[in-house]
Amino acid sequence: QVQLVESGGGSVQAGGSLRLSCAAYGYTYTSNCMGWFRQAPGKEREGVAAIDTDSGRTYVSDHVKGRFTVSQDNAKNTVYLQMNSLKPEDTAMYYCAAARLCGTTWYRVTRYGYWGQGTQVTVSS
């Protein structure tokens, strides 16, 4: 079992920044891919970014490339999503998730077996 706890969400104005954190507990050695997803009301959950916790390779959606970065602190079993130049369309519930592997289909929800409870990000214009 892996437990994931997100934090760092909040309300910001457009152009602002937030850093989300995802702390992993439990059998984390079975999950080498940590992903960030978001879901806005009435929309499907979409992949935002992911990181291979072994190699450090990162994956970022074209929708946020150049604005969002994903990183990790292995000593703390924590993954971060740094979000800069936020836009109102970034408003959503953000979730972190754990999968065994990342790969080219890292953005698929079905790859991930463990999910956090989510943290709300609201960007006002």
Side-chain angles (χ1 to χ4, degrees):
Q1 286 285 348
V2 176
Q3 293 83 42
L4 304 172
V5 180
E6 303 102 331
S7 60
S11 297
V12 295
Q13 290 192 326
S17 298
L18 282 174
R19 188 177 80 157
L20 306 183
S21 299
C22 173
Y25 304 92
Y27 295 105
T28 57
Y29 61 86
T30 62
S31 301
N32 296 318
C33 180
M34 297 295 293
W36 285 100
F37 290 76
R38 67 184 182 185
Q39 188 167 19
K43 294 189 177 181
E44 291 187 354
R45 192 168 297 190
E46 64 171 353
V48 176
I51 185 166
D52 182 312
T53 57
D54 271 352
S55 67
R57 180 176 178 177
T58 61
Y59 306 80
V60 182
S61 165
D62 288 343
H63 294 113
V64 301
K65 194 166 290 183
R67 300 189 297 122
F68 291 14
T69 56
V70 57
S71 62
Q72 63 179 344
D73 183 334
N74 284 340
K76 296 182 179 180
N77 272 354
T78 299
V79 174
Y80 304 98
L81 183 68
Q82 178 67 44
M83 306 185 295
N84 299 327
S85 302
L86 282 161
K87 305 175 181 180
E89 51 263 43
D90 294 318
T91 295
M93 185 71 80
Y94 282 72
Y95 300 88
C96 73
R100 193 171 66 86
L101 296 171
C102 284
T104 56
T105 57
W106 63 269
Y107 53 87
R108 290 184 179 171
V109 171
T110 53
R111 289 186 69 92
Y112 296 81
Y114 300 99
W115 292 83
Q117 81 286 353
T119 186
Q120 178 67 38
V121 171
T122 302
V123 185
S124 58
S125 57

